[in-house]
Amino acid sequence: MKKSMKPEQLTCPLPITEHDAIQLSHGAGGKMMNELISKLFVWAFDNPALSKQDDQAVVEIGDQKLSFTTDSFVVDPIFFPGGDIGDLAINGTINDICMNGARPFCLSAGLIIEEGFPLKDLERIVLSMKRAADKAGVTIVTGDTKVVNKGNADKIFINTAGIGLIEHNHDISSCNLKPGDVVIISGTVADHGIAVMSQREGLSFDTPIQSDTVALNTLVEAIVKAAGGDVHAMRDPTRGGLAATLNEFARASEVGIKIREDLIPVKPAVTGACEILGLDPLYVANEGKLVAVVAKQKADSVLKAMQGHELGRDAVVIGEIDSDRPGMVSMMTRIGGQRIVDMPVGEQLPRIC
Amino acid sequence: MKKSMKPEQLTCPLPITEHDAIQLSHGAGGKMMNELISKLFVWAFDNPALSKQDDQAVVEIGDQKLSFTTDSFVVDPIFFPGGDIGDLAINGTINDICMNGARPFCLSAGLIIEEGFPLKDLERIVLSMKRAADKAGVTIVTGDTKVVNKGNADKIFINTAGIGLIEHNHDISSCNLKPGDVVIISGTVADHGIAVMSQREGLSFDTPIQSDTVALNTLVEAIVKAAGGDVHAMRDPTRGGLAATLNEFARASEVGIKIREDLIPVKPAVTGACEILGLDPLYVANEGKLVAVVAKQKADSVLKAMQGHELGRDAVVIGEIDSDRPGMVSMMTRIGGQRIVDMPVGEQLPRIC
C-alpha cells in the first residue's frame, strides 16, 4: 500500500483525487470520500486504530478497552419528519460507538451556531439531544459552543464524539467477515434519506415517510448476547446507504458479498419516493438500521433475537459472504439477473446527516 | 439555583438571555456564553461532570479515571502568523484534556469543509495537525469528514475531541482554589488573539506577532511533579483571555482573586497592537499559556519547575487568592489604583479560535 511513503516526508502522496478543490462528493460516503480519507488522513495520521477504517477506533487505556468515535452533523433541513439534527447527532454517535459491541458511556457535544439563529430552535434541539441521550442511557458530559457571523455557517452544525466500554473479547470489525457468513439487515432501508429529502423538496406522500433515527445500542446488546464471537461485523449504513457499507465490508475483509434484491425490505412509500426522486434505495442513508454479518450456525438465533427486539422486528437475512470475487458486492435482481452493486462514487444526497 | 426546575419538564427556564436569537457574544467566552451554557446546556443535560463547568469532564470507566473534552475551531483566517486552524485544533484540545493533570492519550477529528475548498490547503492543515499531534505524543485515532455546499460554511471548521488518562488522585479543578494560594501565569498574554487579529485587519508590525499555539501537556506534567496535590487549578486562558479564566475560577471556588497589573507579562509589540486595536490584553485569547493556582508553600518550586521548561520560561506570580470578595477579581493598576476585572460581557474578537 502507501506504507513506503513515510509521513515524515510531510508531503502528501498527491494527487489525492483528480480535483484540486473539495467537491460535495468528498463528504458523501462513497469512493471519493474513501479516497480522500485513505490518501490524506490515514496516510498522515498513520496509526493502526485509524487504518482499520471502522466507524470507531478501539483504544486500550490501562487495562480498559474503549470504543471512541466522532461525527459532525450538518443535515439540512435541521427539523425533518421523525427527528431533528439534535437527536440525529446523539443517535448517530451512539450507533458508531456500539457497532463493535461496546456499551456507550458518555458523549461530548460541540455546537457551531450561525449568528441570528433563533434561541427557541436551539432550545428545541438541545432538548431533543437530551431526550435521545436519556433514552439510550448515555450522558453528555462536556461541550463547546462557537458562534460564527451570519452567512458563515448554515444555521447549526453539531459534532458529537463519544466513548464506549468494550466488555467482551470478540473481534467485531469490518475486517472480520468470513466466507459462509450470513448478512442480516435489521429493518427497512432508505427511510432517513427519503424523509429528509422529501422535506427539502417539499414533497408530501399519502403515507408520511419518517426518519428512522434511533440509538441501536440495545439491539446490538441483544445480538452480541445471542451470537457472542460469532457476530463478525456490524455497521449502521448511513451516508452511501447499504451499498456503501457492504462494499466497505467486502474490501476490508477481501471477501465477496452476494445479496438478493427481493429480500431487502423497503417501505412501499419509500420505493415510490425513490422512483419520483430518481434514487436507488440501496444508496440512501439510514439512521436507525444495522447490518450484521454472522456465522451461519448462529444466523437463526441472531435473527430471532433481533426480531424479538422492537428495533429489529423486520430483521431479515439478505445475503451471504463468499470467496468468489473478493472486494465485490453482487446482487441477484428481482427478475433473476445478476448485477454488481458498486461503491457510490459521488453525491446522491448532500447534507443528509 | 435552577435545581428545582426538573429537566423532565422539557421546557427550558427561559429567558436564557434578553435576546431571542443567538448573538456572536454567545460564543465569546464571556458572561453571555456562560449564561447560555448554564441556563440551557447544563440545565438540560444535567450531570455532575458537566455541572462543574471545567474545560474537561472527568469520567470514571471501570477502574480508570479519564479526562474527556471537545472543542470546535472556526478561526478566521485559517492560516495566521505562528500557526493555522490545524495545529490550533490539536493543541487546543490537548490543553483542555491536560489542565486537570491528565496525560493526553488520543484525539478525534471532525472536519466540516466548504465545497470548493482548495485541496492544497486541506493537505497543509492535515499535515499541520499531524505535526502538532506527533510533537505532543498523541494519536488521532478516529475522524469524520462532511462537505457542505459553497456558501454554507466558511472554508473549514474542525472539531477535535480527546481522551486523557488521570493517573493521580489530586483534585485539580476550578472549584478548588483556596485563600492564600498563589496565581502563576506561564508567560506573556494576548499573543494568539493579536496575531490572528493583525492578520485579519492587515496590520503589520516591526516585530511580527506570532500566535503562541502549542500543546502544554509536558509543562503540566512538570507542574504536577513539582506540586503534587498542591496545584489546585490550571486552565489555559483562551476565549475571553486571562480575565475570563480568573473570573470563572473566582466564581467556581467562591473566593476573591487579587492580581497586579505590573506583574502580568505582555510583549511590547502586543501592547502596541492592543492600543491600536482598542483591546485590553487581559481579555485577549491565548493558545499556549496556562494559569496555575498553587498552594503558597509550593509556589517557589512550581515557579522554578515552570521556568526550567521551555514553555514556561517567562512564568511569574501575578497575584493571590483571598476570601475578601468571593467571586470577584480585582487588580492593582500600574499607577497604584484598584479596579475590578469583570467577566467580559460580549464579543471582543469573533472567530479567534
Side-chain angles (χ1 to χ4, degrees), chain A residues 50-116:
Chain A
L50 187 66
S51 301
K52 271 192 141 179
Q53 294 195 47
D54 276 322
D55 283 345
Q56 69 294 119
V58 175
V59 290
E60 293 189 33
I61 300 194
D63 55 356
Q64 218 73 250
K65 220 161 56 169
L66 304 181
S67 177
F68 181 39
T69 192
T70 187
D71 219 337
S72 297
F73 294 83
V74 298
V75 65
D76 172 41
I78 53 174
F79 300 107
F80 48 80
D84 58 52
I85 192 170
D87 49 17
L88 192 68
I90 300 301
N91 294 333
T93 288
I94 289 175
N95 291 344
D96 282 348
I97 293 173
C98 72
M99 286 299 145
N100 58 11
R103 181 165 55 88
F105 196 82
C106 62
L107 297 179
S108 66
L111 278 64
I112 299 174
I113 313 174
E114 184 184 13
E115 181 188 13

Side-chain angles (χ1 to χ4, degrees), chain A residues 90-91 93-105 132-138 186 214-227 234 288-290 302 304-313:
Chain A
I90 300 301
N91 294 333
T93 288
I94 289 175
N95 291 344
D96 282 348
I97 293 173
C98 72
M99 286 299 145
N100 58 11
R103 181 165 55 88
F105 196 82
D134 283 354
K135 202 170 160 193
V138 173
S186 66
V214 78
L216 294 165
N217 51 322
T218 55
L219 181 61
V220 166
E221 264 175 46
I223 294 171
V224 175
K225 198 175 161 201
M234 287 185 279
K289 300 294 152 44
L290 65 81
V302 168
K304 204 169 289 174
M306 291 175 76
Q307 289 165 345
H309 190 287
E310 60 166 339
L311 301 176
R313 274 197 304 261

Side-chain angles (χ1 to χ4, degrees), chain A residues 7-8 10-12 14 16-17 19-24 26-27 33 36-37 40-41 43-45 47 49-50 54-57 59-64 66 68-74 105-120 122-123 126-127 129-131 139-149 151-154 157 159 161-163 165 239 350-351 353, chain B residues 7-8 10-12 14 16-17 19-24 26-27 33 36-37 40-41 43-45 47 49-50 54-57 59-64 66 68-74 105-120 122-123 126-127 129-131 139-149 151-154 157 159 161-163 165 239 350-351 353:
Chain A
E8 287 68 30
L10 288 191
T11 166
C12 188
L14 281 175
I16 295 165
T17 75
H19 306 278
D20 57 8
I22 290 291
Q23 316 287 310
L24 284 172
H26 284 120
M33 191 175 90
L36 180 70
I37 291 172
L40 184 55
F41 300 112
W43 169 81
F45 301 151
N47 63 76
L50 187 66
D54 276 322
D55 283 345
Q56 69 294 119
V59 290
E60 293 189 33
I61 300 194
D63 55 356
Q64 218 73 250
L66 304 181
F68 181 39
T69 192
T70 187
D71 219 337
S72 297
F73 294 83
V74 298
F105 196 82
C106 62
L107 297 179
S108 66
L111 278 64
I112 299 174
I113 313 174
E114 184 184 13
E115 181 188 13
F117 186 69
L119 215 53
K120 271 283 169 204
L122 181 62
E123 186 193 347
V126 167
L127 293 177
M129 293 173 78
K130 177 207 160 32
R131 270 190 302 263
T139 45
I140 301 163
V141 293
T142 188
D144 175 59
T145 309
K146 292 287 187 312
V147 180
V148 298
N149 307 67
N152 282 344
D154 187 17
F157 301 145
N159 176 285
I163 303 175
L165 186 55
R239 278 179 292 176
R351 296 185 63 188
C353 62
Chain B
E8 286 69 28
L10 288 190
T11 167
C12 187
L14 282 174
I16 295 165
T17 75
H19 306 279
D20 56 8
I22 290 292
Q23 316 287 310
L24 284 172
H26 283 120
M33 191 175 90
L36 181 69
I37 291 172
L40 185 54
F41 301 111
W43 170 81
F45 302 150
N47 63 76
L50 186 66
D54 276 323
D55 283 346
Q56 68 296 116
V59 290
E60 293 189 34
I61 300 196
D63 55 357
Q64 218 74 249
L66 303 180
F68 181 39
T69 192
T70 187
D71 219 337
S72 297
F73 295 82
V74 299
F105 196 84
C106 61
L107 297 179
S108 66
L111 278 63
I112 298 173
I113 313 174
E114 185 186 13
E115 181 188 13
F117 187 69
L119 216 51
K120 271 283 168 205
L122 181 62
E123 185 192 348
V126 166
L127 293 177
M129 292 173 78
K130 177 207 160 32
R131 271 189 301 263
T139 45
I140 301 162
V141 294
T142 188
D144 175 59
T145 309
K146 292 287 187 313
V147 180
V148 299
N149 306 68
N152 282 344
D154 187 18
F157 302 145
N159 176 286
I163 303 174
L165 186 55
R239 277 179 291 177
R351 296 185 62 188
C353 62

